[in-house]
Amino acid sequence: MLTSSLPSLLLLLSLSSNFLNVALSDDGGGLFCSAPSVFETETAASSSSKPLYWKVTNPTLSPSHLQDLPGFTRSVYKGDHALITPESHVFSPLPGWTNTLGAYLITPAMGSHFVMYLAKMQENSKSGLPPNDVERFLFVVQGSATLTNASGAHHQLMVDSYAYLAPNSKHSLECDASATLVVFERRYSPLENHFTKQIVGSTDQQPLLETPGEVFELRKLLPPSLPYDFNIHIMDFQPGEFLNVKEVHYNQHGLLLLEGQGIYRLGDSWYPVQSGDAIWMAPFVPQWYAALGKTRSRYLLYKDVNRNPL
Ligand SMILES: *[C@@H]1O[C@H](CO)[C@@H](O)[C@H](O)[C@H]1NC(C)=O
């Protein structure tokens, strides 16, 4: 009995060397699958009173709780994917922004045609503009900021609000206290006689869309129409739900896990992930997600669309 089950247990553990590292390096009895630690108990008791997406900026075990594990990170960088976890974030001043620290999580140096970064706006901070012909998408995960555009219109962006700014459209984001945003930028891929417009909204205002053959809940934050060369999907999974399609496709992705935890498969690697984690997926990397834990998983996903890949 023992001899027949041991090899399969080892096989299971070796599916993810990271998981093995975590399981073996934790002398308290398993970080992801055992009795709750002190931190998790506190978290469960108080999570209902916390603001939406608070785990993105206060992730379990990271970064302060990992200070006891010198040299340990769950981050991985490979040819066709990367997992960038919060203990690896390196913030520095963002070019053109004032009183703002940024961490670029995905850039063309990895092979992407877009950048994805976190912007931590501090007191009296202000955004800079993206380079010419570059479009921008902003999503607030903490705090609030005010968007002002060239017509002088103001929008207060709270947690869960977002804005799309067309290429070369003058705008600025200002913050009195503090705000954390996830930002996507890419060089716009123009189509004759099609132009994008400014979009401002929030996730909870977007309708649920059909997902034939799948169980997750899907919202799209941008119009699916031809002018837009990317979209941002918000995908919700209840614990135990998973993607039915083991996706392999030409589109590239930048993902930020906003809530929950689970297992992300990327190529032949299986990663335990939690809110605050970011993922880069190159074209054609096999990808699959299963939600675990006790709470909903929600992630935000960049996807290039509407253009001939040639
Ligand atoms: C500025 O924002 C207002 C309100 O959202 C919008 O009607 C207007 O078209 C925007 N101006 C530009 C130049 O995008």
Side-chain angles (χ1 to χ4, degrees):
M1 183 68 193
L2 182 64
T3 46
S4 65
S5 62
L6 194 58
S8 55
L9 176 67
L10 287 174
L11 180 68
L12 188 67
L13 285 173
S14 64
L15 283 174
S16 164
S17 58
N18 273 335
F19 190 90
L20 187 65
N21 286 345
V22 168
L24 293 181
S25 59
D26 172 41
D27 47 18
L31 294 178
F32 291 95
C33 56
S34 70
S37 72
V38 176
F39 301 123
E40 283 164 333
T41 308
E42 278 171 9
T43 303
S46 53
S47 61
S48 55
S49 58
K50 293 287 197 285
L52 191 63
Y53 307 147
W54 74 282
K55 276 273 195 171
V56 174
T57 44
N58 300 279
T60 310
L61 306 173
S62 300
S64 59
H65 303 154
L66 280 175
Q67 282 170 3
D68 294 340
L69 294 174
F72 174 77
T73 177
R74 291 183 298 110
S75 292
V76 169
Y77 171 53
K78 295 197 180 177
D80 59 5
H81 67 269
L83 170 65
I84 313 288
T85 59
E87 73 279 0
S88 307
H89 293 175
V90 177
F91 285 87
S92 46
L94 273 177
W97 298 51
T98 52
N99 294 336
T100 304
L101 292 174
Y104 285 97
L105 304 179
I106 299 176
T107 78
M110 288 171 162
S112 66
H113 62 216
F114 65 94
V115 295
M116 168 177 170
Y117 58 95
L118 293 175
K120 284 194 178 172
M121 303 188 75
Q122 295 152 357
E123 258 178 60
N124 302 319
S125 51
K126 192 172 176 188
S127 65
L129 287 171
N132 284 347
D133 304 327
V134 168
E135 53 190 338
R136 171 181 274 175
F137 179 90
L138 309 158
F139 183 96
V140 181
V141 294
Q142 178 267 317
S144 74
T146 306
L147 177 72
T148 305
N149 70 13
S151 331
H154 301 289
H155 288 279
Q156 188 71 21
L157 302 181
M158 322 287 281
V159 171
D160 206 38
S161 317
Y162 60 88
Y164 167 86
L165 290 314
N168 308 316
S169 65
K170 296 262 182 294
H171 64 274
S172 79
L173 195 66
E174 285 173 75
C175 175
D176 300 334
S178 89
T180 306
L181 301 105
V182 55
V183 185
F184 294 88
E185 290 168 359
R186 70 169 283 187
R187 204 160 291 283
Y188 182 60
S189 173
L191 273 189
E192 221 174 324
N193 301 322
H194 289 283
F195 301 97
T196 60
K197 292 187 318 207
Q198 172 188 296
I199 308 278
V200 178
S202 69
T203 302
D204 60 1
Q205 293 164 359
Q206 304 312 311
L208 282 178
L209 303 174
E210 292 292 319
T211 56
E214 296 286 354
V215 292
F216 62 84
E217 292 188 333
L218 172 67
R219 293 174 175 84
K220 294 186 181 183
L221 303 187
L222 295 180
S225 56
L226 221 45
Y228 297 87
D229 60 1
F230 72 92
N231 213 319
I232 300 288
H233 294 184
I234 299 285
M235 295 169 62
D236 293 347
F237 298 77
Q238 297 304 320
E241 292 183 344
F242 54 89
L243 283 167
N244 280 321
V245 178
K246 281 63 72 173
E247 295 187 358
V248 177
H249 54 59
Y250 79 94
N251 321 73
Q252 40 185 274
H253 286 314
L255 179 153
L256 180 66
L257 193 53
L258 295 170
E259 295 181 318
Q261 52 184 213
I263 301 285
Y264 226 104
R265 178 188 175 168
L266 298 163
D268 291 331
S269 302
W270 306 66
Y271 300 104
V273 293
Q274 61 173 345
S275 35
D277 289 354
I279 295 175
W280 150 243
M281 290 177 245
F284 298 106
V285 66
Q287 52 199 256
W288 177 86
Y289 182 64
L292 297 172
K294 290 192 159 62
T295 57
R296 169 178 84 174
S297 279
R298 165 171 282 187
Y299 57 72
L300 174 153
L301 187 78
Y302 167 98
K303 179 182 188 178
D304 52 308
V305 294
N306 287 333
R307 295 295 183 272
N308 188 319
L310 273 177

